[in-house]
């Protein structure tokens, strides 16, 4: 019986907290009483075979702020649906994607509630299949999820660097953005975020705490300001924004051009499991993490749709966008608010983008940490080491920074290749989310698979939600992997699918050549004494 299976069994009664190989029946080392939430967190981890090496500093507000991403992501990707499919593509693709993505958010939240570990869905995938399949399923899910997360860090940071330089263009009209300018800024921002993520967990929690208000507040202020500064006579009517389509792709199929609008909503609403990867740093993680995921999906979908509609209504001459800055979102703000107003509000959008990278890098580093801890990398556990002073995985943070920087090098070959990273983020992550959900249903009732629901549980509705999630994921991944421009050349080809396929092929070759000899799926990090101490209680 594997470690995860062993510690997933048992009753749901209160179990003492693990404390360095001993049992702690509700008191900490200095005699003060522990909160019930802290005890429950460590008990659940013990059932899953783990003892957390992190410090729990994230509460409900910090976790929700961590999961929320909207304004900056829309600003980064708004140009794509507008230029490829038109305003109707912007509006309808966001609405359809938001509604369908509720199934992803709910399905993932249910899994995370049952398996609140730093490994997130990677750990859950291995636990939801029979013992014989755990190594290969854990391996594939781990590499897919990490690839998608690294692509998310790189693409968001690249988008932020582009947003900052777009503001420079607005301020200095003679300035022309060069690839090497953006790459240097991209690397500088990555280094900055690397240092920030090397802080102790308490510092990271303080940085995160109130960003949800800035995120939502900036969207509301931009919406109000755009409407207030646009003359009624210059606003596009509903008959225009809900029906006007174009085909800016070159493909003969107008429907395909329209569907390219999914890039914005899928990239904005991906990385659902980010909150899951900080579960070992969250109080009452089995509740806080899944609720944050689900509520963030609802809020992002609703507020994001209103923001997209207002942008289309106030866009002016759409054929003139994205304008000199290369960013249609900023172009509309500049048109309606003038230079000063646009730059002031744009600074908040850039700040939110910087925060989004901060949280993405934190979540990504925890996944790398967990995968290395389980033996998934040929690094002898180096990436899975915890810094003794900060109690954070500093090495894994800088590993993600380095790989993200390498992805940025693609810009010198082709800007289209860099833009494919945006698609690859959603493609790889959404496929990694599909694995645990499908495995849970395929092996439901198997004697070696015992799924114990957490507090976030959909009961009988779960099967139908999972079916919708599966069908939608396969559909949108196909669209995102499709080349956006025709005719196909080296500069217009969508490299997201080939890059994802190449990474997965190499990882599988490595698994069968060497990995299967040392990787046996997620491993318990409980010491022998801790296992002996906790097993009678379970």
């Amino acid at each position: 019986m594997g470690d995860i299976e062993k510690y997933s069994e048992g009753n749901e009664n209160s179990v003492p907290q693990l404390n360095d190989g001993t049992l702690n029946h509700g008191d900490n080392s200095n005699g003060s009483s522990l909160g019930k939430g802290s005890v429950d967190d460590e008990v659940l981890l013990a059932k899953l075979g783990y003892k957390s090496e992190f410090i729990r500093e994230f509460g409900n507000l910090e976790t929700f702020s961590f999961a929320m991403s909207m304004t900056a992501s829309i600003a980064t990707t708004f140009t794509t649906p507008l230029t490829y499919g038109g305003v109707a593509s912007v509006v309808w693709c966001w609405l359809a994607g938001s509604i369908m993505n509720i199934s992803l958010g709910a399905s993932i939240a249910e899994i995370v509630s049952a398996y609140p570990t730093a490994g997130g869905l990677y750990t859950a995938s291995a636990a939801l299949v029979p013992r014989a399949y755990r190594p290969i399923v854990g391996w594939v899910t781990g590499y897919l999820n990490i690839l998608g997360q690294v692509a998310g860090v790189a693409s968001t940071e690249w988008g932020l660097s582009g947003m900052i330089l777009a503001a420079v263009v607005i301020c200095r009209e003679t300035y022309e953005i060069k690839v090497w300018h953006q790459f240097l800024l991209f690397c500088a921002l990555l280094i900055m975020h690397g240092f920030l993520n090397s802080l102790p967990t308490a510092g990271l929690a303080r940085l995160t705490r109130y960003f949800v208000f800035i995120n939502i507040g900036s969207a509301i202020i931009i919406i109000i300001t755009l409407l207030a500064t646009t003359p009624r006579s210059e606003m596009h009517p509903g008959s225009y924004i809900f029906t006007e389509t174009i085909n800016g792709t070159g493909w003969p199929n107008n429907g395909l051009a329209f569907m390219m609008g999914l890039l914005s909503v899928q990239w904005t609403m991906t990385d659902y499991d980010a909150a899951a990867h900080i579960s070992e740093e969250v109080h009452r993680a089995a509740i806080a993490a899944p609720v944050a995921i689900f509520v963030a999906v609802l809020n992002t979908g609703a507020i994001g749709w209103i923001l997209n509609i207002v942008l289309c209504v106030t866009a002016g001459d759409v054929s003139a966008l994205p304008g000199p800055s290369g960013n249609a979102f900023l172009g509309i703000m500049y048109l309606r608010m003038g230079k000063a107003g646009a730059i002031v509000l744009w600074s908040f959008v850039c700040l939110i983008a910087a925060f989004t990278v901060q949280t993405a890098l934190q979540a990504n580093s925890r996944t790398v940490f967990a995968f290395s801890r389980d033996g998934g990398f040929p690094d002898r556990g180096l990436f899975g080491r915890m810094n003794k002073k900060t109690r954070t995985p500093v090495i894994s943070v800088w590993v993600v920074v380095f790989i993200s920087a390498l992805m940025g090098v693609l810009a010198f070959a082709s800007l289209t290749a860099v833009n494919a990273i945006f698609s690859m983020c959603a493609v790889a992550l959404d496929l990694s989310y599909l694995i645990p959900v499908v495995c849970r249903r395929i092996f439901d009732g198997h004697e070696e698979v015992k799924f114990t629901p957490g507090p976030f549980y959909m009961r009988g509705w779960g099967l139908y939600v999972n079916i919708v999630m599966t069908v939608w994921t396969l559909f949108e991944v196909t669209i995102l992997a499709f080349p956006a421009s025709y005719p196909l050349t080296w500069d217009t080809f969508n490299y997201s699918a080939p890059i994802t396929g190449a990474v997965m092929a190499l990882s599988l070759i490595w698994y069968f050549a060497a990995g299967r000899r040392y990787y046996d799926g997620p491993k318990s990090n409980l010491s022998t004494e801790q296992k002996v101490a906790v097993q009678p209680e379970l």
Side-chain angles (χ1 to χ4, degrees):
M1 183 180 292
D3 288 323
I4 286 184
E5 181 183 3
K6 182 188 299 179
Y7 295 102
S8 294
E9 296 177 350
N11 60 52
E12 299 301 318
N13 297 328
S14 178
V15 183
Q17 185 182 19
L18 287 170
N19 187 13
D20 298 328
T22 63
L23 285 174
N24 188 325
H25 290 265
D27 295 327
N28 62 16
S29 58
N30 58 16
S32 61
S33 177
L34 283 169
K36 185 178 184 300
S38 298
V39 174
D40 290 345
D41 286 324
E42 302 308 326
V43 168
L44 181 53
L45 267 183
K47 290 181 179 182
L48 298 174
Y50 291 106
K51 177 182 183 296
S52 178
E53 300 175 59
F54 295 88
I55 300 175
R56 296 185 187 274
E57 298 282 1
F58 280 71
N60 292 336
L61 179 59
E62 291 86 352
T63 308
F64 180 54
S65 289
F66 191 94
M68 190 75 180
S69 174
M70 178 179 55
T71 311
S73 299
I74 295 174
T76 305
T77 56
F78 179 77
T79 305
T80 298
L82 186 68
T83 55
Y84 284 150
V87 289
S89 175
V90 173
V91 174
W92 289 115
C93 282
W94 185 277
L95 178 62
S98 298
I99 294 173
M100 300 305 290
N101 284 337
I102 293 174
S103 66
L104 273 86
S107 298
I108 293 165
E110 186 175 50
I111 298 293
V112 168
S113 185
Y115 300 92
T117 70
L121 298 183
Y122 146 69
T123 303
S125 297
L128 291 170
V129 296
R131 186 72 188 87
Y133 304 129
R134 286 177 189 168
I136 187 64
V137 170
W139 185 277
V140 170
T141 307
Y143 273 98
L144 261 178
N145 193 261
I146 290 171
L147 173 64
Q149 286 192 69
V150 174
V153 172
S155 58
T156 309
E157 197 78 279
W158 184 264
L160 172 58
S161 63
M163 290 164 63
I164 294 173
L165 294 179
V168 176
V169 172
I170 294 295
C171 295
R172 291 181 56 192
E173 296 179 359
T174 58
Y175 174 71
E176 181 182 354
I177 299 176
K178 303 289 186 182
V179 173
W180 68 272
H181 292 177
Q182 188 167 354
F183 179 75
L184 289 179
L185 179 58
F186 165 77
C187 291
L189 291 169
L190 278 174
I191 292 172
M192 178 193 73
H193 283 112
F195 280 116
L196 287 175
N197 266 287
S198 298
L199 294 172
T201 303
L204 296 174
R206 283 194 293 271
L207 285 174
T208 303
R209 186 164 299 152
Y210 301 113
F211 248 96
V212 63
F213 301 113
I214 299 175
N215 206 333
I216 296 177
S218 64
I220 295 174
I221 291 173
I222 290 173
I223 289 170
I224 294 173
T225 306
L226 283 174
L227 291 175
T229 56
T230 305
R232 183 61 181 259
S233 60
E234 296 181 16
M235 291 185 179
H236 292 301
S239 59
Y240 174 81
I241 66 169
F242 288 111
T243 61
E244 185 69 19
T245 61
I246 63 172
N247 187 341
T249 65
W251 288 100
N253 190 305
N254 292 334
L256 180 61
F258 181 85
M259 287 299 172
M260 289 300 165
L262 289 175
L263 173 63
S264 182
V265 62
Q266 294 305 132
W267 188 77
T268 299
M269 299 182 70
T270 194
D271 205 5
Y272 302 90
D273 65 331
H277 296 296
I278 62 165
S279 290
E280 295 179 34
E281 300 163 83
V282 174
H283 293 289
R284 297 178 64 81
I287 298 175
V291 169
I293 292 170
F294 188 68
V295 174
V297 170
L298 294 179
N299 281 343
T300 301
I303 300 174
W305 192 51
I306 296 173
L307 177 57
N308 275 290
I309 289 177
V310 170
L311 286 167
C312 292
V313 167
T314 61
D317 183 5
V318 176
S319 63
L321 296 172
S325 68
N327 187 296
F329 192 115
L330 179 57
I332 296 171
M333 290 175 62
Y334 179 51
L335 172 68
R336 300 307 178 188
M337 305 175 193
K339 181 184 297 185
I343 293 300
V344 169
L345 288 182
W346 191 248
S347 65
F348 283 94
V349 178
C350 291
L351 181 63
I352 294 167
F355 170 73
T356 303
V357 180
Q358 172 71 15
T359 57
L361 179 55
Q362 183 179 346
N364 197 177
S365 64
R366 273 51 176 176
T367 315
V368 171
F369 164 83
F371 200 51
S372 175
R373 179 178 63 182
D374 293 338
F377 294 123
D379 64 337
R380 298 182 181 274
L382 175 64
F383 305 159
R385 294 180 184 176
M386 189 73 70
N387 184 283
K388 294 181 180 179
K389 292 184 178 179
T390 64
R391 294 289 295 274
T392 53
V394 174
I395 296 177
S396 66
V397 167
W398 289 99
V399 168
V400 175
V401 168
F402 176 73
I403 299 175
S404 299
L406 289 180
M407 286 189 172
V409 175
L410 290 172
F412 294 101
S414 168
L415 288 177
T416 304
V418 172
N419 291 332
I421 296 176
F422 286 74
S423 297
M424 184 171 67
C425 167
V427 169
L429 279 176
D430 289 355
L431 287 176
S432 74
Y433 300 152
L434 199 58
I435 294 174
V437 173
V438 172
C439 287
R440 177 195 165 190
R441 295 302 175 183
I442 290 177
F443 296 104
D444 185 28
H446 194 284
E447 61 180 5
E448 293 182 5
V449 179
K450 295 179 176 61
F451 176 76
T452 303
F456 190 101
Y457 183 42
M458 293 184 287
R459 302 185 182 279
W461 289 100
L463 175 61
Y464 303 105
V465 173
N466 292 163
I467 292 173
V468 172
M469 177 231 179
T470 301
V471 174
W472 172 249
T473 300
L474 293 175
F475 171 76
E476 51 94 359
V477 163
T478 302
I479 296 297
L480 295 184
F482 208 85
S485 299
Y486 185 86
L488 298 181
T489 66
W490 289 110
D491 290 329
T492 63
F493 189 70
N494 188 340
Y495 294 92
S496 60
I499 294 175
T500 303
V503 171
M504 295 314 302
L506 290 173
S507 69
L508 287 173
I509 291 173
W510 177 255
Y511 173 78
F512 287 109
R516 61 180 176 175
R517 290 198 287 268
Y518 60 80
Y519 178 77
D520 195 35
K523 301 175 182 177
S524 171
N525 68 343
L526 296 176
S527 67
T528 302
E529 292 80 6
Q530 289 165 345
K531 291 178 182 179
V532 172
V534 77
Q535 192 170 12
E537 298 284 351
L538 297 180

